[in-house]
Amino acid sequence: MASENAQGLNNGVWVWVKGIVQNLVNKVMGIAKDAKNLGEEDPRRIFHSIKVGLAITLVSLFYYFDFFYEGLGVSAMWAVMTVVVIFEFSVGATLGKGVNRGIATLLGGASGVAAHRLASFGGENQECIILGLFVFFIATMVTFIRFFPKLKARYDYGLMIFILTFSLISVSGYREDEVIKMANRRLSTILIGGLVTICICVFICPIWAGEDLHKLIASSIEKLGIFLEGFGHEYFEMPNENKDHKEKKTSLDAYKSVLNSKGIEDSLVNFAKWEPRHGKFRYRHPWDQYLEIGSLTRECACRIDALNGFLNSDMQTTKEIRTKIQEPCTKMSSECSYALNELAIGIKTMTSCTLSADPHIRNAKTAAKKLKSSLQTGLWPETDLLDLIPAATVASLLIEIVSCTMKIADSVHELALLSKFKIPDPSTPKHKGLEKLTKAPSIEQSHNFGIAVE
């Protein structure tokens, strides 16, 4: 009996241990699967991680080798800290932080040395009081300056580093006799770490924020076109012979990511302004124009979001009422879709899309005028008002979407002029191919971005 109890106890312990091990294995496998998905979504994340490791390894040599350590001392660790702090995912973000840190360290160190010199004239008893006043006023003033929106957007990190460097130099200089030598070492190691970081970030598999912004805007416009392309078939329950119809039905909600794209766009524009000329993006590229286009796409996405609510709404109109507005509504939806797809391809290829997008916009405007005139006529004498309201709302939203599409087209044309996009020849096979691509039922999936914003 005792042996059976002992055996049962052992079996229970074994099951318990086995369960713990199995849970641990499942967690490890889950983490490995998540890591694999992250790498597959954007392989640049892997290259970025390798670059950060390489940069930290290189600057660590200044601490390992006696030749460098004798010249820099313990301050060599500031090079490692600089790499960890300023190495960002994109070139623009890294350059922005690097320039901010370098200039702020230089100015903060010089101001700290100056404050220390001025305080030393007050005598040993007054020096600490004067230094304390300097630290108080400088820290207070610069912290308040950080609240200015324009300065906060581009120079917030530099202002913070200025406060840090000034405080460290001025305060530690009170106990350190060779304050200038200490400031020089700290500045040198920070510059070394910054230069190593910038060189690796720019010359080894660079990731350009400007290019990501360019693709993001094109992708946002493309997602609006995807929804409008499928809305007519879904709302009016029209038969669709396309083989990709089911795939497009599942992608109608892709526009929702456009609604929350403002933060990403603002960050990318800020980073892109720090980047040098690269690829097709020249100096002083009109990055602010992308913000205007992004704002208009979100405005259009809000209308589309309201329109999407009528696809599965409990309050549906009769088929008879839908039939009366079907032709102009589907015309507006499809023509706006074609126009937005043309605009997206024009941005992607950096070619002017006036010749290809404007005809679709004119067709959409004509359909909108036809729908307005039909709504104003007496076509609904015996129709219940409650049955008419949903159809009238859908028609009104589509008319507003036509207006939004016109605004987006004007803004994209302005970008094409400012950026000097290529003007395609309508008679060339290349331009005809682009036209066919935009009218094709299947549309390329949106680009995935790896942003500390993403």
Side-chain angles (χ1 to χ4, degrees):
M1 188 69 177
S3 61
E4 291 179 359
N5 291 336
Q7 186 177 1
L9 181 62
N10 291 334
N11 291 336
V13 172
W14 169 248
V15 171
W16 178 73
V17 172
K18 186 178 179 180
I20 292 179
V21 173
Q22 187 64 38
N23 290 334
L24 182 61
V25 171
N26 291 336
K27 288 183 179 180
V28 172
M29 294 298 294
I31 294 174
K33 186 178 180 180
D34 292 340
K36 181 182 177 181
N37 292 335
L38 282 174
E40 290 178 347
E41 286 175 2
D42 194 345
R44 299 179 303 173
R45 294 168 179 167
I46 300 174
F47 291 106
H48 171 71
S49 303
I50 295 173
K51 289 193 295 183
V52 173
L54 177 61
I56 294 177
T57 302
L58 289 177
V59 297
S60 298
L61 298 178
F62 291 96
Y63 196 82
Y64 294 147
F65 291 99
D66 294 337
F67 174 77
F68 298 113
Y69 184 79
E70 290 175 359
L72 299 175
V74 182
S75 297
M77 291 303 297
W78 282 90
V80 178
M81 293 175 61
T82 300
V83 173
V84 174
V85 170
I86 73 171
F87 208 136
E88 294 289 342
F89 187 75
S90 66
V91 173
T94 302
L95 283 174
K97 271 197 168 183
V99 172
N100 269 279
R101 187 175 180 85
I103 295 177
T105 300
L106 178 62
L107 295 178
S111 301
V113 172
H116 182 268
R117 289 297 185 188
L118 291 175
S120 63
F121 292 128
E124 186 176 352
N125 294 331
Q126 304 296 327
E127 184 177 1
C128 61
I129 298 176
I130 297 174
L131 281 176
L133 291 174
F134 271 125
V135 171
F136 173 77
F137 284 116
I138 293 295
T140 302
M141 181 179 64
V142 177
T143 300
F144 182 77
I145 291 175
R146 291 177 63 191
F147 288 107
F148 285 83
K150 292 184 178 180
L151 293 177
K152 188 175 185 64
R154 299 198 68 187
Y155 307 110
D156 183 66
Y157 179 72
L159 293 172
M160 181 182 65
I161 294 299
F162 176 84
I163 297 174
L164 175 64
T165 305
F166 175 80
S167 302
L168 288 176
I169 296 297
S170 58
V171 172
S172 59
Y174 180 72
R175 299 290 183 183
E176 180 71 38
D177 294 332
E178 299 179 350
V179 64
I180 296 180
K181 185 177 180 180
M182 178 186 63
N184 181 50
R185 283 183 174 182
R186 190 161 296 176
L187 177 62
S188 299
T189 53
I190 289 175
L191 291 178
I192 290 171
L195 288 174
V196 171
T197 300
I198 291 173
C199 288
I200 292 177
C201 186
V202 173
F203 297 109
I204 300 179
C205 300
I207 300 170
W208 303 102
E211 185 177 343
D212 280 356
L213 173 66
H214 190 79
K215 292 179 179 179
L216 175 63
I217 294 297
S219 175
S220 297
I221 297 176
E222 187 179 65
K223 290 174 182 177
L224 303 184
I226 291 175
F227 178 88
L228 292 174
E229 186 177 2
F231 175 77
H233 297 284
E234 293 296 326
Y235 184 74
F236 295 102
E237 299 178 356
M238 297 168 56
N240 196 329
E241 297 179 358
N242 291 330
K243 295 181 180 179
D244 298 331
H245 174 59
K246 293 183 178 180
E247 296 180 4
K248 289 202 170 183
K249 186 175 180 179
T250 58
S251 64
L252 287 180
D253 291 338
Y255 76 91
K256 292 183 178 179
S257 63
V258 181
L259 296 170
N260 301 317
S261 62
K262 178 175 172 55
I264 300 175
E265 291 171 6
D266 289 342
S267 298
L268 288 176
V269 168
N270 184 29
F271 299 153
K273 290 179 178 179
W274 289 101
E275 293 177 346
R277 179 172 183 170
H278 58 280
K280 297 181 180 180
F281 305 100
R282 54 189 175 83
Y283 290 109
R284 298 193 177 184
H285 191 76
W287 299 115
D288 290 331
Q289 187 66 21
Y290 289 90
L291 291 178
E292 182 178 345
I293 299 174
S295 176
L296 293 173
T297 55
R298 284 189 295 276
E299 180 182 338
C300 186
C302 289
R303 270 69 174 180
I304 287 178
D305 192 43
L307 201 62
N308 186 44
F310 287 91
L311 290 178
N312 301 311
S313 175
D314 295 334
M315 190 176 181
Q316 297 289 348
T317 58
T318 61
K319 191 172 183 180
E320 180 183 358
I321 297 177
R322 291 191 187 188
T323 304
K324 292 182 179 181
I325 63 172
Q326 177 175 334
E327 182 182 353
C329 284
T330 54
K331 187 70 173 176
M332 285 189 294
S333 180
S334 61
E335 292 296 337
C336 286
S337 171
Y338 294 149
L340 290 171
N341 292 336
E342 291 283 358
L343 295 173
I345 290 180
I347 293 177
K348 285 181 179 179
T349 58
M350 298 192 77
T351 55
S352 180
C353 50
T354 304
L355 296 174
S356 56
D358 285 357
H360 297 299
I361 294 176
R362 286 195 295 269
N363 294 337
K365 288 172 63 178
T366 302
K369 290 180 181 179
K370 182 179 178 181
L371 180 60
K372 284 182 179 179
S373 62
S374 66
L375 290 175
Q376 292 172 356
T377 57
L379 296 177
W380 330 90
E382 300 178 357
T383 305
D384 187 3
L385 184 60
L386 292 177
D387 293 334
L388 183 61
I389 287 176
T393 306
V394 169
S396 177
L397 287 171
L398 283 172
I399 293 173
E400 290 184 12
I401 288 173
V402 173
S403 177
C404 290
T405 303
M406 293 168 56
K407 294 178 183 178
I408 294 173
D410 292 339
S411 188
V412 172
H413 295 337
E414 181 68 18
L415 175 65
L417 291 175
L418 295 174
S419 304
K420 298 180 180 180
F421 283 6
K422 295 181 295 183
I423 300 177
D425 186 357
S427 61
T428 59
K430 181 178 179 181
H431 184 265
K432 292 179 180 179
L434 285 177
E435 185 176 359
K436 290 180 181 179
L437 180 60
T438 55
K439 293 184 180 181
S442 60
I443 299 176
E444 183 182 357
Q445 293 297 320
S446 61
H447 181 79
N448 291 323
F449 299 93
I451 302 184
V453 82
E454 258 152 344

